[in-house]
């Protein structure tokens, strides 16, 4: 065994642990690969470390994933771009493992390295690598190769380019659906690097193959390619080649394919231009909005706003809006929910008049939906509609909806509405809030479920931030402090928590005059949990209040608690005392 | 006949000719008088796609893998080997490869239910590299296994004396950190301002890995759990290579192989009120070619073909296959014996085979009016249905299988017998074989067969349950209802059958 100087000892251990039996230690070493490389120097990294790693291909996925990631940024450690090619072999092996996330990461790293490599190196090393993977016996290699063509292609000489296109075309017809799927997924990226004449011939024929694949799982990925290719082609080519495909897809037998179309369609509108959009895409989209399959309607409904933004308002009102009306009473709650999450965004598109006339009734009916998610989604996007027509028109319906959600029997629904209260407060204004919602906020502090009480305490703080300390002094603080006398200690604890959150917002004066006395008082509580929480709260108040207050009020109280019979109380009290010592020392 | 040849060579002759089955191998053969342990009883058999591997699962939650030894010498491409002409009498031979514990007995504390470790089904997955992949399931949990040769590593020439390292990094790190503040714990690492000299540190070197001994390792890669309220009866892998289904009594779930924490329910036959329940799912399988199609069978004797393209929830079938019952034949047992215990697609995807208690039925998926062929398996038991009901044998779930060329079908029976039928046009082939070293013993035997011919093999088991379980048919033949051959599998490309008789795996070829 070699003797290692002490400063090198940690690095030596790190190197040894590259092959340790404990996976955590191996992972740790791999994450520190750059340190190891710097310790070994560039030359030995190239000649020893990288070959050493190349053998390490049967390790656990976590280690392989970390390795794939580290190697992607390793160029500086092997001596710069001119040596980048030494990094390719270990990544090539990682491209063939069965775990998808490792392969994806290896491909990503290869792309990152390839993008920096010199052109002659790409031709000499990178392109042969892509060809080797593409000819791999196992489908994992072929799957990975698809993601590398867009890096290899631009620097390839003409003959090689032809060959690469031919290989990619084979992938589009591979026996394994996994390879065809990968080819479909990466087609857009590859097409972006291919010259225009080949794009129209070679790439389009590959695209045709994929769009006619037997397997749904391949066809639906080809839908992705529609939008990507559409953006590359001239508008007239797009109309001639892509448009018929997408219109066909929108009537595919498989709902999964139609689902993809519903998600992608709006992206194609710009590529084909306004006239084909009006004549072909709008009818296709309307069909999808009225699809038999709820999943397709969900996807289509979710894109209503994006689609309308591209169209001119008349088209939207004439064609899309009637569908939206139907969807607002759809039999599937998930469709209504998807619609509710985006429909508010239509208001700016349609303008004030159309919104009041057409959209408002839909908003109102969705606000009364029996399914809480629908109502929540409407409320969460209230600001968008407020900008267009103001809140007044909605407020009448809004309040009952909020109250009902606030009292929903599912705590997750209550939690969701609490999260929106600060937004509502800012949109509705102080006046409205005082009258209607203030009481609700207090009620949540006494909820049966901890998560709700916790969120309620946070909510109180955010309201104080929104409306300012003066308002909070009037409308929140007294009510909150009142509840410290609740007979149940869990509720008293919530109040302590709320106080600790409020203090920084309210500032030193109010904290000293109003909040602190309550906390000090609570230190006499009979429940130890309250007492040690008092200690924690006092610790959090130390930086906020004046030094003299700490000396006069907080420390005596903590000293008293530090002699409490309960061990936990003593622990937190002494911890708080320690921190007050530190604050004093630093000041 | 050329057994080893490619199936194209086999098809023209093989279809008509009666196969002469010969014993090939047995694994886990019982010696006379040996008592069978419950955990050793085989509960699932499956060949992989190539036929080079065979897996069995047992009631003890173990999966045992066998590999073919006669064709592959691990050199050359498989396709080249397939093209080679084998000597006349070559037939698939397997050897034990490895085994692993796939499932352990568990207890569901929420429902106060014991979950048996018994392997209900095994399905092989496509291999993305040299390793083997398979899914195994018990009643509740599906597991994805990878079996791979792993190098046994031996390290030498470490930088740090191994006696000093002893345990692991953290300890070393912490002892270091006391002496030198620059280093942090856990293997330690210099902070970024640590300066590296230009020539780096020549004294450091990488550890040397020696010993390239390899070891077969089974690793559980994913666990697909908590998705079934009832017992899983089938799993099936999709031809798209990325999804599979799992079916229990009332529901079928669709999974992605890569995602274990969520699945989609695609079929749900659970009625709103469980008292209205009349039918349960008994088996489900994906179409071998079309990734959007799957079939499932029911306890009422129907097979439903569903097209996943039509809708996300496939509660409505696109085709229903069931045989109209003959009027007047209805009895108390009609529904029980109509229950389908297994369905299998033929490799071509055009035909489906189903097994109910009395028969094997072959269906053409383009013809839903009735089966294209029906093979009587248990017709001789019809007079005894009452006894069979009494001792619960009527609920036995026999599996069925098709040959790779689709010309023959096979299924199991009682007394360790199994039957092979020719299903090509005009074939009258119907062979009864016994899972023993002399499979043709039953051939041609009729009433004269003495009841002791089962010998010691089953004597032990039979004693336990007494006279209940054996019966004498009208010809005087004894049937032992405790020795039942439930599980069998046909080699994907050759005429070779693997069948499970209790804890023994018998292999035959023709």
């Amino acid at each position: 065994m070699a003797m290692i100087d002490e400063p090198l000892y940690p690095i030596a251990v790190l190197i040894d642990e590259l092959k340790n039996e404990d996976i955590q230690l191996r992972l740790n070493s791999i994450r520190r690969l750059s340190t190891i490389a710097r310790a070994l120097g560039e030359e030995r990294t190239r000649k020893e470390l990288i070959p050493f790693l190349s053998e390490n291909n049967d390790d656990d996925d976590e280690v392989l994933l970390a390795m794939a990631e580290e190697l992607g940024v390793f160029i500086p450690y092997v001596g710069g771009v001119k040596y980048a090619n030494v990094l390719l072999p270990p990544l090539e092996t990682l491209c063939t493992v069965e775990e998808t996330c490792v392969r994806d990461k290896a491909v990503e790293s290869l792309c990152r390295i390839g993008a920096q490599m010199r052109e002659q190196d790409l031709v000499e090393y990178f392109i042969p690598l892509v060809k080797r993977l593409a000819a791999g016996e196992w489908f994992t290699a072929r799957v990975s190769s698809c993601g590398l063509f867009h890096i290899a292609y631009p620097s390839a000489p003409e003959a090689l380019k032809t060959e690469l296109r031919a290989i990619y075309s084979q992938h589009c017809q591979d026996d394994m659906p996994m390879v065809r799927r990968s080819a479909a997924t990466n087609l857009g990226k590859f097409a972006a690097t291919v010259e225009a004449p080949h794009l129209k011939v070679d790439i389009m024929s590959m695209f045709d193959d994929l769009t006619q694949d037997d397997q749904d799982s391949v066809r639906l990925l080809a839908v992705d390619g529609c939008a990507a290719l559409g953006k590359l082609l001239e508008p007239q080519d797009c109309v001639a080649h892509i448009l018929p495909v997408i219109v066909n897809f929108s009537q595919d037998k498989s709902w999964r394919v139609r689902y993809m179309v519903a998600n992608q369609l709006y992206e194609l509108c710009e590529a084909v231009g306004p006239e084909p959009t009006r004549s072909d895409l709008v009818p296709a989209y309307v069909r999808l909005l009225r699809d038999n399959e709820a999943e397709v309607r969900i996807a289509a409904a979710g894109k209503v706003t994006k689609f309308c933004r591209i169209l001119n308002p008349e088209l939207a009102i004439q064609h899309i809006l009637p569908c939206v009306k139907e969807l607002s009473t759809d039999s599937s709650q998930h469709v209504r929910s998807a619609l509710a999450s985006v429909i508010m965004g239509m208001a700016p598109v349609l303008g004030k008049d159309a919104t009041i006339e057409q959209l408002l009734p839909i908003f109102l009916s969705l606000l009364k939906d029996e399914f809480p998610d629908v109502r929540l989604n409407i409320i969460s996007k209230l600001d968008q509609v407020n900008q267009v027509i103001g809140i007044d028109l909605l407020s009448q319906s809004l309040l009952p909806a909020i109250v009902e959600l606030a009292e929903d029997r599912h705590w997750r629904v209550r939690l969701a509405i609490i999260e929106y209260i600060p937004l509502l407060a800012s949109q509705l204004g102080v006046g409205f809030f005082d009258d209607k919602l203030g009481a609700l906020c207090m009620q949540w502090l006494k909820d049966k479920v901890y998560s709700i009480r916790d969120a309620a305490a946070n909510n109180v703080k955010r309201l104080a931030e929104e409306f300012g300390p003066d308002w909070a002094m009037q409308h929140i603080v007294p009510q909150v402090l009142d509840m410290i006398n609740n007979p149940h200690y869990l509720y008293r604890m919530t109040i302590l928590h709320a106080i600790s959150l409020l203090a920084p917002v309210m500032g030193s004066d109010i904290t000293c005059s109003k909040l602190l006395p309550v906390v000090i008082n609570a230190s006499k509580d009979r429940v130890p949990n309250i007492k040690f929480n008092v200690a924690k709260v006092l610790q959090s108040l130390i930086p906020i209040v004046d030094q003299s207050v700490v000396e006069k009020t907080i420390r005596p109280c903590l000293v008293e608690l530090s002699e409490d019979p309960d061990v936990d109380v003593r622990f937190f009290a002494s911890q708080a005392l320690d921190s007050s010592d530190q604050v004093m020392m630093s000041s | 006949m050329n057994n080893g040849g490619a199936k194209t060579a086999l098809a023209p002759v093989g279809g008509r000719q009666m196969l002469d089955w010969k014993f090939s191998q047995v694994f886990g053969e019982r010696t006379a008088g040996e008592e069978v342990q419950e955990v050793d009883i085989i509960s699932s058999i499956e060949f992989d796609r190539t036929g080079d591997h065979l897996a069995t699962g047992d009631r003890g939650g173990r999966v045992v893998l066998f590999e073919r030894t006669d064709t592959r010498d691990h050199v050359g491409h498989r396709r080249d080997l397939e093209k080679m002409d084998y000597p006349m009498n070559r037939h698939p031979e397997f050897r034990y490869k490895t085994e692993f514990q796939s499932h352990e007995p568990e207890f569901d504390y929420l429902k106060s239910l014991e979950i048996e470790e018994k392997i209900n089904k095994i399905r092989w997955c496509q291999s993305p590299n040299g390793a083997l992949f398979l899914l195994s399931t018990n009643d509740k949990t599906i597991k994805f296994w990878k079996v791979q040769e792993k190098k046994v590593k031996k390290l030498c020439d470490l930088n740090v004396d191994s006696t000093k390292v002893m345990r692991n990094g953290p300890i070393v790190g912490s002892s270091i950190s006391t002496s030198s503040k620059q280093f942090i714990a856990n293997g330690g690492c210099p902070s970024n301002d640590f300066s590296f000299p230009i020539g780096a540190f020549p004294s450091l070197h990488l550890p040397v890995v020696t010993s390239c001994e390899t070891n077969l390792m089974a690793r559980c890669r994913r666990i697909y759990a908590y998705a079934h309220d009832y017992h899983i009866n089938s799993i099936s892998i999709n031809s798209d290579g990325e999804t599979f289904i799992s079916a229990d009594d009332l529901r079928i779930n669709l999974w992605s192989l890569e995602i274990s924490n969520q699945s989609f329910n695609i079929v749900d036959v659970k009625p709103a009120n469980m008292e209205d329940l009349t039918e349960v799912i008994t088996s489900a399988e994906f179409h071998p070619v079309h990734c959007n199609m799957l079939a499932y069978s029911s306890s009422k004797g129907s097979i439903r073909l569903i097209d996943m393209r039509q809708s996300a929830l496939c509660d409505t079938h696109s085709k229903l296959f069931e045989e109209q019952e003959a009027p007047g034949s209805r009895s108390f047992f009609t529904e029980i014996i109509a229950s389908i215990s297994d369905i299998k697609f033929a490799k071509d995807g055009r035909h489906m085979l189903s097994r109910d208690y009395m028969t094997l039925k072959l269906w053409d998926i383009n013809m839903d009016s009735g089966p294209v062929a029906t093979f009587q398996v248990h017709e001789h038991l019809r007079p005894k249905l009452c006894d069979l009901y009494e001792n619960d044998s009527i609920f036995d779930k026999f599996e069925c299988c098709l040959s790779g060329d689709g010309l023959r079908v096979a299924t199991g029976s009682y007394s360790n017998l199994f039957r092979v039928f020719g299903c090509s046009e005009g074939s009258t082939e119907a062979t009864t074989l016994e899972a023993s070293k002399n499979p043709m013993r039953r051939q041609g035997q009729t009433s004269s067969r003495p009841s002791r011919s089962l010998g010691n093999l089953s004597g032990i088991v039979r004693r336990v349950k007494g006279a209940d379980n054996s019966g004498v048919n009208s010809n005087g033949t004894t049937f032992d209802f405790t020795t039942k051959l439930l599980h069998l599998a046909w080699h994907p490309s050759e005429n070779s059958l693997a069948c499970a008789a209790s804890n023994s795996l018998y292999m035959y070829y023709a």
Side-chain angles (χ1 to χ4, degrees):
Chain A
M1 297 293 161
M3 287 304 293
I4 298 291
D5 301 337
E6 196 165 83
L8 288 181
Y9 198 83
I11 301 179
V13 172
L14 214 50
I15 294 178
D16 290 350
E17 283 173 358
L18 277 172
K19 295 272 174 175
N20 196 291
E21 276 165 35
D22 182 341
I23 179 174
Q24 278 312 317
L25 296 180
R26 289 204 304 277
L27 255 181
N28 182 52
S29 286
I30 291 283
R31 295 244 165 81
R32 301 286 189 186
L33 217 49
S34 55
T35 308
I36 295 176
R38 279 155 75 200
L40 289 172
E42 292 170 355
E43 190 179 347
R44 292 186 64 201
T45 298
R46 290 197 298 273
K47 292 192 174 145
E48 295 174 35
L49 181 62
I50 300 295
F52 178 80
L53 294 174
S54 303
E55 290 165 22
N56 192 32
N57 56 0
D58 64 344
D59 209 329
D60 289 303
D61 300 329
E62 294 91 328
V63 178
L64 296 181
L65 183 66
M67 194 162 107
E69 189 165 6
E70 291 296 328
L71 289 175
V73 291
F74 225 58
I75 290 182
Y77 307 109
V78 292
V81 167
K82 64 176 183 288
Y83 293 110
N85 58 289
V86 303
L87 294 171
L88 303 184
L91 286 168
E92 182 177 349
T93 335
L94 292 177
C95 278
T96 62
V97 301
E98 79 274 3
E99 187 58 44
T100 313
C101 63
V102 176
R103 287 203 309 267
D104 289 349
K105 188 56 85 181
V107 169
E108 191 187 312
S109 289
L110 276 176
C111 289
R112 186 178 290 185
I113 292 169
Q116 301 172 57
M117 282 170 79
R118 295 175 305 181
E119 194 159 312
Q120 75 262 32
D121 290 343
L122 279 169
V123 175
E124 193 176 342
Y125 301 105
F126 198 88
I127 296 174
L129 172 140
V130 174
K131 282 168 67 180
R132 271 196 305 277
L133 286 173
E137 185 187 353
W138 301 107
F139 72 79
T140 45
R142 304 201 294 277
V143 164
S144 296
S145 75
C146 292
L148 297 171
F149 277 73
H150 67 284
I151 301 289
Y153 189 82
S155 52
E158 207 47 52
L160 258 178
K161 280 187 173 173
T162 315
E163 194 183 342
L164 286 176
R165 289 195 305 272
I167 295 174
Y168 204 91
S169 162
Q170 278 165 24
H171 282 344
C172 294
Q173 299 165 45
D174 198 279
D175 284 345
M176 286 289 191
M178 299 80 160
V179 180
R180 303 203 298 275
R181 279 201 291 275
S182 181
T185 313
N186 290 294
L187 186 66
K189 266 190 282 178
F190 179 45
T193 64
V194 173
E195 302 80 355
H198 300 305
L199 185 68
K200 265 169 76 180
V201 183
D202 293 355
I203 298 288
M204 285 315 292
S205 89
M206 294 179 209
F207 178 66
D208 286 343
D209 285 340
L210 294 170
T211 56
Q212 285 156 31
D213 201 283
D214 290 339
Q215 291 244 332
D216 287 1
S217 59
V218 179
R219 278 208 313 283
L220 62 89
L221 290 172
V223 176
D224 273 334
C226 285
L229 287 177
K231 284 173 189 158
L232 297 173
L233 292 167
E234 299 286 318
Q236 70 269 22
D237 290 328
C238 188
V239 171
H241 299 293
I242 306 281
L243 194 62
V245 174
I246 198 88
V247 169
N248 256 340
F249 272 154
S250 75
Q251 300 170 66
D252 197 278
K253 270 184 295 189
S254 167
W255 69 268
R256 286 168 72 197
V257 173
R258 299 199 302 275
Y259 175 91
M260 292 298 277
V261 175
N263 266 326
Q264 303 275 334
L265 199 59
Y266 71 96
E267 287 192 48
L268 217 68
C269 293
E270 278 169 32
V272 296
E275 184 47 35
T277 296
R278 196 190 59 78
S279 63
D280 291 295
L281 293 184
V282 170
Y285 185 63
V286 167
R287 268 199 305 276
L288 292 169
L289 284 170
R290 291 180 170 148
D291 200 277
N292 282 329
E293 175 55 47
E295 296 287 338
V296 177
R297 295 200 302 276
I298 292 172
K303 298 290 183 226
V304 150
T305 298
K306 280 191 169 150
F307 203 86
C308 286
R309 248 178 233 153
I310 298 166
L311 299 181
N312 65 46
E314 293 96 89
L315 271 179
I317 293 171
Q318 197 187 339
H319 296 284
I320 309 294
L321 211 53
C323 298
V324 170
K325 265 184 206 150
E326 289 168 27
L327 289 175
S328 70
T329 56
D330 196 280
S331 56
S332 161
Q333 59 190 30
H334 303 291
V335 174
R336 300 197 304 273
S337 177
L339 181 71
S341 67
V342 297
I343 191 176
M344 303 306 259
M346 283 180 75
V349 180
L350 296 185
K352 188 167 179 174
D353 293 342
T355 299
I356 293 176
E357 201 177 310
Q358 313 267 1
L359 279 181
L360 197 58
I362 300 176
F363 295 156
L364 296 178
S365 92
L366 289 172
L367 261 182
K368 296 190 187 96
D369 200 281
E370 56 180 355
F371 188 55
D373 275 13
V374 179
R375 285 172 271 153
L376 275 174
N377 283 344
I378 288 285
I379 288 171
S380 68
K381 300 283 163 56
L382 214 55
D383 48 337
Q384 288 172 333
V385 77
N386 196 14
Q387 288 156 12
V388 183
I389 57 166
I391 208 84
D392 300 342
L393 286 166
L394 270 179
S395 58
Q396 290 307 314
S397 312
L398 209 49
L399 192 66
I402 295 169
V403 171
E404 206 175 315
L405 287 167
E407 289 163 353
D408 197 281
R409 66 194 176 87
H410 295 292
W411 67 267
R412 284 176 202 278
V413 175
R414 298 201 296 276
L415 186 63
I417 188 73
I418 294 176
E419 312 264 305
Y420 293 130
I421 287 293
L423 169 82
L424 282 171
S426 69
Q427 297 295 318
L428 295 166
V430 178
F432 186 87
F433 185 86
D434 286 349
D435 297 344
K436 326 277 183 187
L437 299 182
L440 280 178
C441 294
M442 296 304 134
Q443 181 188 322
W444 282 319
L445 285 169
K446 290 184 278 189
D447 200 279
K448 285 199 294 286
V449 177
Y450 170 77
S451 298
I452 300 296
R453 295 197 301 273
D454 188 52
N458 219 1
N459 177 45
V460 165
K461 179 196 87 169
R462 285 170 68 187
L463 286 174
E465 284 170 348
E466 179 72 37
F467 294 142
D470 291 343
W471 175 88
M473 249 338 275
Q474 258 190 356
H475 295 92
I476 299 184
V477 176
Q479 288 89 330
V480 170
L481 296 183
D482 264 357
M483 280 188 263
I484 197 71
N485 298 320
N486 193 297
H488 200 300
Y489 85 98
L490 285 177
Y491 297 130
R492 297 201 295 278
M493 219 140 86
T494 307
I495 301 307
L496 280 179
H497 180 52
I499 288 174
S500 74
L501 291 171
L502 276 172
V505 184
M506 303 304 284
S508 170
D509 286 350
I510 295 177
T511 303
C512 292
S513 62
K514 296 284 176 189
L515 305 182
L516 191 57
V518 175
V519 179
I520 298 293
N521 217 15
S523 73
K524 312 262 183 333
D525 205 285
R526 63 199 151 81
V527 179
N529 297 45
I530 297 291
K531 288 194 277 189
F532 75 65
N533 272 294
V534 165
K536 285 196 216 169
V537 173
L538 286 177
Q539 182 178 349
S540 75
L541 295 184
I542 291 169
I544 300 166
V545 297
D546 199 65
Q547 192 57 45
S548 60
V549 180
V550 175
E551 284 303 321
K552 235 167 56 197
T553 324
I554 295 184
R555 281 188 68 91
C557 178
L558 284 173
V559 168
E560 197 176 317
L561 287 174
S562 68
E563 285 151 13
D564 197 88
D566 188 276
V567 59
D568 292 322
V569 177
R570 288 201 304 276
F571 172 79
F572 285 107
S574 61
Q575 202 177 47
L577 279 173
D578 284 352
S579 87
S580 85
D581 287 343
Q582 271 169 14
V583 171
M584 275 203 293
M585 284 205 303
S586 61
S587 64
Chain B
M1 226 180 73
N2 185 354
N3 302 303
K7 70 171 186 195
T8 45
L10 191 130
V13 263
R16 291 289 159 87
Q17 217 168 339
M18 188 101 148
L19 292 179
D20 179 25
W21 289 93
K22 294 186 198 69
F23 169 79
S24 164
Q25 283 172 293
V26 57
F27 295 96
E29 190 189 20
R30 275 171 295 167
T31 51
E34 182 192 338
E35 201 153 340
V36 178
Q37 296 293 315
E38 169 84 10
V39 290
D40 291 332
I41 295 176
I42 295 173
S43 55
S44 176
I45 302 187
E46 180 85 353
F47 279 104
D48 76 347
R49 214 168 294 258
T50 58
D52 290 340
H53 294 93
L54 174 70
T56 64
D58 64 25
R59 294 202 187 177
R62 283 162 301 188
V63 171
V64 184
L65 303 184
F66 300 89
E67 70 183 340
R68 194 168 171 176
T69 56
D70 58 316
T71 56
R72 305 204 308 160
D73 297 307
H74 296 279
V75 281
H77 197 277
R78 193 178 305 119
R79 260 179 224 147
D80 302 332
L81 285 166
E82 275 171 7
K83 281 183 204 133
M84 274 163 39
D85 226 14
Y86 304 128
M88 285 296 279
N89 54 355
R90 287 297 285 275
H91 59 87
E93 267 181 36
F94 286 79
R95 71 166 169 230
Y96 170 87
K97 188 178 171 83
T98 185
E99 69 177 79
F100 56 90
Q101 189 72 36
S102 168
H103 286 73
E104 303 272 2
E106 279 175 87
F107 191 79
D108 182 339
Y109 292 96
L110 284 177
K111 292 179 182 155
S112 286
L113 272 179
E114 262 182 78
I115 305 169
E116 284 186 343
E117 68 272 34
K118 178 185 156 218
I119 306 292
N120 288 347
K121 280 278 168 357
I122 295 176
R123 288 291 177 264
W124 290 87
C125 308
Q126 276 170 322
S127 173
N129 51 25
L132 302 173
F133 292 85
L134 48 85
L135 287 173
S136 63
T137 185
N138 66 354
D139 285 340
K140 297 284 180 189
T141 308
I142 306 152
K143 293 185 179 178
F144 184 48
W145 290 93
K146 173 187 181 183
V147 182
Q148 184 191 29
E149 295 203 326
K150 217 166 175 176
K151 279 189 216 127
V152 182
K153 284 185 202 127
K154 215 171 139 25
L155 292 183
C156 61
D157 204 13
L158 293 172
N159 287 299
V160 181
D161 195 332
S162 54
T163 53
K164 269 199 276 174
V165 180
M166 278 291 281
R167 312 280 301 150
N168 46 26
I171 291 166
V172 173
S174 55
S175 69
I176 279 293
S177 62
T178 52
S179 59
S180 155
K181 245 191 148 183
Q182 204 168 11
F183 304 119
I184 52 164
N186 193 7
C189 167
S191 54
N192 283 332
D193 51 340
F194 185 86
S195 64
F196 289 91
I198 299 298
F201 304 108
S203 57
L204 289 173
H205 56 85
L206 293 163
V208 178
V209 183
T210 54
S211 161
C212 283
E213 203 180 305
T214 56
N215 217 351
L216 268 179
M217 279 252 305
R219 270 190 66 191
C220 183
R221 302 301 303 272
R222 276 182 199 93
I223 298 177
Y224 313 88
Y226 315 117
H228 286 278
D229 286 337
Y230 306 91
H231 288 181
I232 298 174
N233 54 45
S234 320
I235 45 178
S236 174
I237 292 171
N238 195 346
S239 58
D240 67 10
E242 64 171 359
T243 55
F244 71 94
I245 47 165
S246 57
D248 67 24
D249 295 342
L250 297 178
R251 299 193 178 101
I252 300 177
N253 292 334
L254 178 69
W255 302 82
S256 164
L257 275 167
E258 305 211 331
I259 299 164
S260 57
N261 59 4
Q262 62 174 340
S263 70
F264 294 97
N265 177 243
I266 51 173
V267 176
D268 186 351
V269 300
K270 188 180 177 195
N273 181 356
M274 278 299 263
E275 280 168 16
D276 300 333
L277 184 68
T278 56
E279 191 173 18
V280 297
I281 298 167
T282 54
S283 174
E285 191 171 54
F286 262 119
H287 191 279
V289 184
H290 298 301
C291 67
N292 51 292
M293 269 171 32
L294 66 97
Y296 68 90
S297 61
S298 82
S299 57
K300 272 190 164 172
S302 53
I303 302 170
R304 289 178 173 83
L305 197 64
I306 58 179
D307 184 349
M308 296 200 299
R309 288 183 302 193
Q310 279 179 349
S311 169
L313 294 171
C314 305
D315 290 343
T316 51
H317 54 265
S318 48
K319 263 186 181 175
L320 175 67
F321 301 86
E322 61 189 350
E323 190 165 39
Q324 299 305 317
E325 62 182 90
S329 67
R330 209 177 158 73
S331 74
F332 173 74
F333 302 111
T334 308
E335 241 181 53
I336 301 173
I337 59 174
S339 175
I340 293 177
S341 50
D342 192 23
I343 51 168
K344 292 272 161 65
F345 272 103
K347 234 181 182 178
D348 61 8
R350 167 116 189 241
H351 292 96
M352 276 186 300
L353 183 68
S354 71
R355 169 72 207 258
D356 53 48
Y357 193 65
M358 305 300 275
T359 66
L360 265 182
K361 291 192 175 79
L362 188 72
W363 306 80
D364 184 329
I365 62 166
N366 298 324
M367 185 175 108
D368 50 8
S369 55
V372 287
T374 302
F375 308 97
Q376 301 297 340
V377 182
H378 278 167
E379 195 54 32
H380 55 276
L381 294 179
R382 198 174 281 278
K384 313 181 59 59
L385 287 176
C386 242
D387 297 344
L388 291 162
Y389 181 74
E390 297 269 298
N391 65 20
D392 277 353
S393 295
I394 202 166
F395 300 107
D396 286 337
K397 292 183 174 301
F398 292 96
E399 288 180 2
C400 59
C401 57
L402 291 115
S403 61
D405 52 23
L407 298 176
R408 289 182 182 81
V409 296
T411 191
S413 176
Y414 293 105
S415 308
N416 278 347
L417 299 179
F418 63 99
R419 307 203 71 191
V420 180
F421 300 97
C423 57
S424 54
E425 192 90 26
S427 170
T428 54
E429 181 178 352
T431 319
T432 304
L433 300 117
E434 185 184 40
S436 71
K437 285 187 171 173
N438 181 9
M440 301 301 268
R441 188 145 58 130
R442 291 295 182 117
Q443 205 55 29
Q445 269 175 353
T446 50
S447 54
S448 59
R449 209 187 131 271
S451 60
R452 285 308 302 160
S453 76
L454 283 165
N456 293 325
L457 275 181
S458 50
I460 300 285
V461 190
R462 198 188 307 163
R463 211 175 47 223
V464 184
K465 283 205 163 183
D468 241 346
N469 297 311
S470 63
V472 180
N473 72 5
S474 52
N475 294 330
T477 313
T478 307
F479 289 95
D480 180 353
F481 298 125
T482 57
T483 53
K484 47 200 171 200
L485 197 155
L486 299 176
H487 312 283
L488 77 178
W490 202 302
H491 190 278
S493 56
E494 297 182 30
N495 282 327
S496 170
L497 271 166
C499 22
S502 173
N503 64 335
S504 316
L505 175 69
Y506 285 92
M507 316 265 304
Y508 301 97
Y509 70 99

